[in-house]
């Protein structure tokens, strides 16, 4: 792939000079040099990175961090959210950027867009808690948008669906909407859907993490396992972790799925219920899709007289610091929050990848023992 430095070498100028020409800062370059650079671009077939140009030309260096607000709990109170916000601030600081927190609820997507345009943000990082419609509408900003814990195909489908709805709502386009003007709704929807190319995605290997847990459980002799997750039939993340668990357990493995909110008190109650049901079903281990769930389940099991890991083993997913304070330390699949934030910032700055899937790791604790 031809780079800006290749063009600079062919034209016999500096990379900064090529950047000035590409980004329209022609007042800093002579006409002869401009023509030489443009000739080199044509000869090499160089395609400027649109996202990098957007960032370079932005009047602010503000990155919007968009998240959803739930009436059931305080904003950013979940461990994953608060840790990710801190990691994003650190990554942006190192890149010379600033972070602006942007809360979003179902009914205010238009207000959110207006707010971000008012600040002329250079990019947006969108957390998975952001409402679906708002996530799709962010493609209208015309700046790099990084969706966290998503997949490229998932985002493209989301934006395309929003495009069809927008085309009908706007009468197939209006000035400034990002849609083609005119009467062809299909053309308008296609124009909207093409904005998905402005999206990037960063996630982790959820299926690989589930498989990692499954293999460790299988090696410890566990064949019948309970999988606890908030959205095991709706969330792509939970679905992938469940599929990985089944793969890791192998043909002998049997999995029972239990839905539970990611809330410590609720998880304690789940643990108490599992203490009664697991013994009857001959189940010997629990794999929870979040540390907070796993910690609560351990507490609920113990309050019901079940020893962990002597009677029942528990494995979590996240590996956050909070899970090292439990007694014993939670055995868990670890996801790299800092790397997730760093990659998101790197994509906004013009990195060539469109989708990044980060590996997970395993942390030994004291909650996984041999099956009895």
């Amino acid at each position: 792939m031809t780079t800006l430095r290749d063009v600079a070498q062919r034209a016999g100028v500096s990379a900064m000079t090529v950047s000035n020409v590409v980004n329209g800062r022609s007042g800093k370059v002579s006409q002869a040099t401009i023509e030489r650079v443009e000739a080199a671009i044509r000869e090499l077939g160089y395609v400027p990175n649109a996202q990098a140009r957007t960032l370079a030309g932005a009047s602010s260096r503000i990155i919007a961090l968009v998240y959803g607000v739930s009436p059931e709990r305080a904003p950013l109170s979940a461990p994953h959210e608060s840790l990710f916000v801190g990691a994003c601030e650190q990554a942006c600081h190192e890149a010379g950027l600033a972070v602006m927190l942007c809360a979003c609820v179902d009914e205010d997507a238009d207000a959110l867009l207006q707010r971000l345009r008012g600040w002329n943000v250079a990019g947006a990082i969108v957390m998975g808690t952001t409402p679906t419609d708002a996530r799709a509408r962010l493609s209208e900003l015309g700046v790099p948008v990084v969706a966290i814990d998503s997949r490229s195909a998932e985002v493209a489908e989301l934006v395309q669906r929003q495009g069809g709805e927008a085309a009908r709502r706007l009468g197939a386009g209006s000035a400034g909407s990002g849609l083609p003007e005119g009467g062809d709704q299909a053309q308008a929807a296609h124009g909207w859907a093409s904005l998905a190319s402005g999206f990037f995605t960063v996630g982790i290997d959820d299926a690989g993490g589930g498989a990692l847990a499954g293999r460790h459980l299988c090696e410890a002799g566990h064949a019948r396992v309970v999988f606890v997750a908030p959205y095991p039939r709706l969330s792509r993340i939970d679905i992938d972790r469940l599929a990985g668990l089944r793969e890791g357990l192998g043909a002998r493995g049997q999995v029972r799925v239990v839905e539970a909110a990611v809330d410590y008190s609720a998880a304690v109650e789940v643990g108490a219920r599992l203490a009664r049901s697991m013994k009857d079903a001959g189940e010997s281990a629990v794999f929870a899709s979040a540390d907070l769930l796993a910690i609560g389940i351990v507490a609920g099991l113990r309050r019901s007289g079940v020893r962990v890991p002597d009677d029942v083993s528990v494995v979590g997913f996240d590996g956050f610091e909070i899970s090292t304070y439990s007694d014993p330390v939670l055995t868990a699949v670890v996801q790299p929050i800092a790397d997730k934030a760093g990659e998101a910032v790197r994509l906004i700055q013009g990195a060539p990848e469109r989708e990044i899937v980060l590996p997970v790791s395993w942390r030994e604790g004291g909650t996984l023992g041999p099956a009895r």
Side-chain angles (χ1 to χ4, degrees):
M1 182 177 66
T2 303
T3 67
L4 184 144
R5 293 187 180 278
D6 296 330
V7 174
Q9 186 174 7
R10 173 66 66 89
V13 298
S14 68
M16 181 58 71
T17 298
V18 175
S19 177
N20 286 334
V21 173
V22 167
N23 291 300
R25 297 188 289 265
S26 56
K28 301 180 180 182
V29 187
S30 69
Q31 185 59 39
T33 300
I34 292 174
E35 293 173 0
R36 198 159 70 249
V37 170
E38 290 176 342
I41 289 173
R42 289 193 299 272
E43 291 168 12
L44 296 175
Y46 173 66
V47 179
N49 186 311
Q51 284 70 39
R53 291 177 63 186
T54 299
L55 183 59
S59 60
S60 78
R61 293 188 63 81
I62 296 173
I63 305 301
L65 181 56
V66 185
Y67 61 95
V69 175
S70 169
E72 284 81 28
R73 58 183 176 83
L76 301 176
S77 59
H80 175 272
E81 293 176 319
S82 56
L83 289 170
F84 185 74
V85 168
C88 274
E89 199 286 327
Q90 180 65 30
C92 284
H93 175 75
E94 292 173 357
L97 303 169
V99 174
M100 179 175 72
L101 295 180
C102 299
C104 179
V105 293
D106 288 328
E107 65 273 12
D108 72 348
D110 288 330
L112 173 67
L113 286 172
Q114 184 176 1
R115 179 183 177 190
L116 298 184
R117 286 180 176 134
W119 281 97
N120 195 20
V121 297
I125 298 173
V126 189
M127 297 175 67
T129 55
T130 306
T132 301
D133 289 346
R135 241 186 300 172
R137 294 287 303 282
L138 286 170
S139 60
E140 300 173 52
L141 285 173
V143 297
V145 178
V146 181
I148 302 300
D149 293 325
S150 298
R151 295 284 187 270
S152 294
E154 186 180 31
V155 169
E157 179 184 355
L158 176 66
V159 176
Q160 187 169 12
R161 185 167 66 250
Q162 181 68 27
E165 294 170 359
R168 290 188 291 275
R169 184 175 68 249
L170 296 173
S174 61
S177 69
L179 292 168
E181 295 190 50
D184 187 347
Q185 287 193 349
Q187 181 187 7
H190 175 74
W192 191 289
S194 69
L195 292 172
S197 62
F199 267 95
F200 300 85
T201 59
V202 175
I204 61 172
D205 185 3
D206 293 295
L212 189 59
R215 287 194 296 272
H216 280 275
L217 287 165
C218 182
E219 290 168 1
H222 298 280
R224 295 187 176 184
V225 177
V226 177
F227 176 68
V228 184
Y231 309 108
R233 294 173 180 83
L234 296 175
S235 165
R236 192 268 312 158
I237 291 173
D238 288 341
I239 290 170
D240 284 356
R241 292 176 185 179
L242 174 57
L245 172 66
R246 287 180 166 141
E247 177 189 339
L249 287 173
R252 290 180 55 247
Q254 298 179 33
V255 180
R256 176 162 66 100
V257 178
V258 173
E259 294 187 28
V262 184
D263 174 85
Y264 177 77
S265 298
V268 172
E269 295 179 7
V270 170
R273 293 199 303 271
L274 289 177
R276 296 187 290 270
S277 64
M278 289 180 69
K279 184 176 181 180
D280 295 337
E283 296 158 337
S284 59
V286 177
F287 175 43
S289 71
D291 280 357
L292 200 59
L293 271 173
I295 295 170
I297 289 169
V298 169
L301 289 169
R302 284 180 162 178
R303 291 179 189 182
S304 300
V306 177
R307 298 172 300 170
V308 178
D310 300 67
D311 300 323
V312 171
S313 290
V314 178
V315 174
F317 197 119
D318 284 327
F320 298 155
E321 184 181 9
I322 187 175
S323 64
T324 65
Y325 300 150
S326 64
D327 182 23
V329 172
L330 183 69
T331 300
V333 177
V334 180
Q335 64 162 306
I337 290 292
D339 291 346
K340 194 185 289 187
E343 290 299 303
V345 172
R346 193 172 67 85
L347 289 177
I348 284 180
Q349 289 183 293
E353 301 94 333
R354 299 210 64 81
E355 179 171 12
I356 294 175
V357 179
L358 297 168
V360 296
S361 57
W362 180 256
R363 187 188 69 202
E364 290 287 352
T367 58
L368 172 60
R372 296 195 173 219

